[in-house]
Amino acid sequence: MSKPFDQIITVDFETYWDSKTFTLSKMTTEEYIRDERFTDFGACFHLYGSDQPIEWVRGCDIPKYVLGVDWGRTALLAHNAQFDVSILSWKYKVRPAFILDTLSMARALRGVEVGNSLAKLAADFGLPEKGRAIHNTNGLTELDAKTLDELAEYCKHDVFLCEQIFERLALGYPTSELRLIDMTLRMYTEPTLVLDGLMLLNAIEEEKETREALLQKLDVEEKDLASNPKFAAVLNTLGIPTPKKISKITGKETLALAKNDAMFQALLNHQRDDVSLLCEARLRVKSTTERTRAQRFFDISERGNLPVPLSYFGAQTGRWTASKGSAINMQNLKRGSFLRKAVMAPEGHQLVVGDLSQIEPRVLAWLADYKDMLDIFRAGGDPYASFGAQMFNTPGLTKNSHPDLRQSAKSALLGCGYGLGWASFSAQLLVGFLGAPPVLYDKDFAKRLGVNKRFIDRFIDWDDNIQKMEEIPHTCTEEELLVHCIAAKKIIDIYRATAHPVVTFWEMCSVLLQKSLYGGEEVVYKCLTFRKEEIVLPSGMSLRYPNLRRVKNEETKRVEWLYGAEGTPHTRLYAGKITNNIVQGVARIVMTDGMLRVNKRYPVKGTVHDELIAAVPDTEVEDAKTWVLAQMTMEPRYLPGIPLDADGGAHRRYGEAKQ
């Protein structure tokens, strides 16, 4: 791309803070900057690459400084640009031509677990140590001349470090990824989305009334439901035995009352209304996330538009995560929730939403040369039903004719492509696989799958199967659990027999784990390059596996592969995980390529997994809906022949845009 800027100015702000009451360790960036106590003592600016000295500009002189810069052709560089650029944007109305951020770049190149503060990066790159003058300003609203001079020198040194780190990180950094950093930061620094404060306030009150009415109906108090022992005692008064499980951390028996515990899920769906209502009431009392987030959204609405806090490359595969310390996670707003509906486009605009359909199964099918699956996607229609018809040898299978088989095919297609074992599959089904309702397979369903006596005997005769089954938390009888696990095992077997190209891909990944990731031999496969401790993706970014090594597991007596930088938790690596990482990494690039194309015409103001949110003028909405989907499904040059699909819609309210 041609550079959208002629010069780069590095910036670093120094602001008032108080470790007890006014600090970013206790407040979000949005709260901090928009607070009436916010004071910028000054900032350092430097024309990157020039011989000009780094300039300290006192807070009172910043308005004059920013007026002297042509921001339409000037990029801003900072470490944690979300903070510094938000100050310039919200307080001084600066709109730079481009935003560069060393924190985002370091996160992508080094990983999120190693630490990427300015001090840590300076130490790791052998640069002069970051200063400490900032500690002398704790709680001070006014600074004397000596303290101000010390702060200015401290700030100048931070700018120097930022530029030195940028030079090291920028070498070979993909242009498309720099554009993604810029786009992500603008979602925050140039907030466009509006929050419906009245809707949020009403929802908070309605939730409170519903919760209190439920407690009154059940004649219990919040403290009885919030406490695990007290809630167990209430269950006992209803004749319900206390659900228990073996803790994976301590190895000791503990209460199984978390919302994702299979036993609690079973009680939540209990045939007795008093039991299910009691569990629903507990969820309302314990699940403070939704109402806390609603209150936070309302508080933001009182201060201004919604800055969308996302961390670029927050996950190993490049996916976004919620910004650390942001207090709201835009990545997990439930579909149909009032929170989604309270997020709105500005006046005169609508939010056009585009959502890639089954992107990960499509990428996996392309990588594995799974031609039958690719043909199913090319044919359009319902891929889960079509795959189910093939998987279960049931021609004409539809969502209406065989809903259970279709759901099982969907679970297999979305989850089993990464080497998922039957035990994990069984356990996840009991609590709801990938957000679906909990499932307990019965004898009739097992028979429909083709389970016979020989299959059952083989399952039971293997002691390892019985041990794994006994470790699965459950509320059903042992016989029901056995039937459920056998059916789940059958589905896994059918999937692997049907999707044999995927199994072959796992085998290739297993070989390359030893040969390339560990042994160092470079191997190119399609759009991927396997090297020592990394897999290079089509974007030029890499999946990284630092310090990869073989270790004997003393408990299982099996040899395992582990990776993780020194001083960080170690992670087990195997073929299924490699497959999952690759597919997510490539799918993310398909998504981001589409987002960048859309962003050239309509500003992308948010993203949730495989979905983008663009703000579009009312007069252009109808054309934009078609155009946005076309940009998202454009065939990537690195995935020739892959059949892509997307759906979407438009509405002023985000929650109404895609029904």
Side-chain angles (χ1 to χ4, degrees), residues 91 95 149 163 205 229 296 312 400 424 518-519 523 567 569 624:
K91 187 170 181 179
R95 296 292 186 271
D149 286 344
E163 293 187 346
E205 289 300 316
R296 286 172 177 156
Y312 159 86
N400 294 327
S424 296
Y518 180 71
V523 174

Side-chain angles (χ1 to χ4, degrees), residues 54 81 107 121 164 206 219 249 251 254 438 547 551 553 559 595:
I54 299 172
R107 188 185 295 124
L121 289 168
Q164 291 295 309
E206 287 175 10
D219 194 24
I249 298 175
T254 185
N547 193 24
V551 177
N553 187 315
V559 174
M595 290 176 68

Side-chain angles (χ1 to χ4, degrees), residues 4 111 123 160 227 325 454 591 628:
F160 165 77
S227 163
R454 183 167 174 268
M591 178 67 187
V628 166

Side-chain angles (χ1 to χ4, degrees), residues 9 17 104 155-156 159 161 273 387 405 413 429 497 519 537 602 606:
I9 289 180
W17 67 291
S104 295
C155 189
K156 289 178 182 179
V159 166
L161 291 177
D273 289 343
F387 182 57
L405 290 179
L413 188 60
L429 287 166
L537 299 169
Y602 300 116

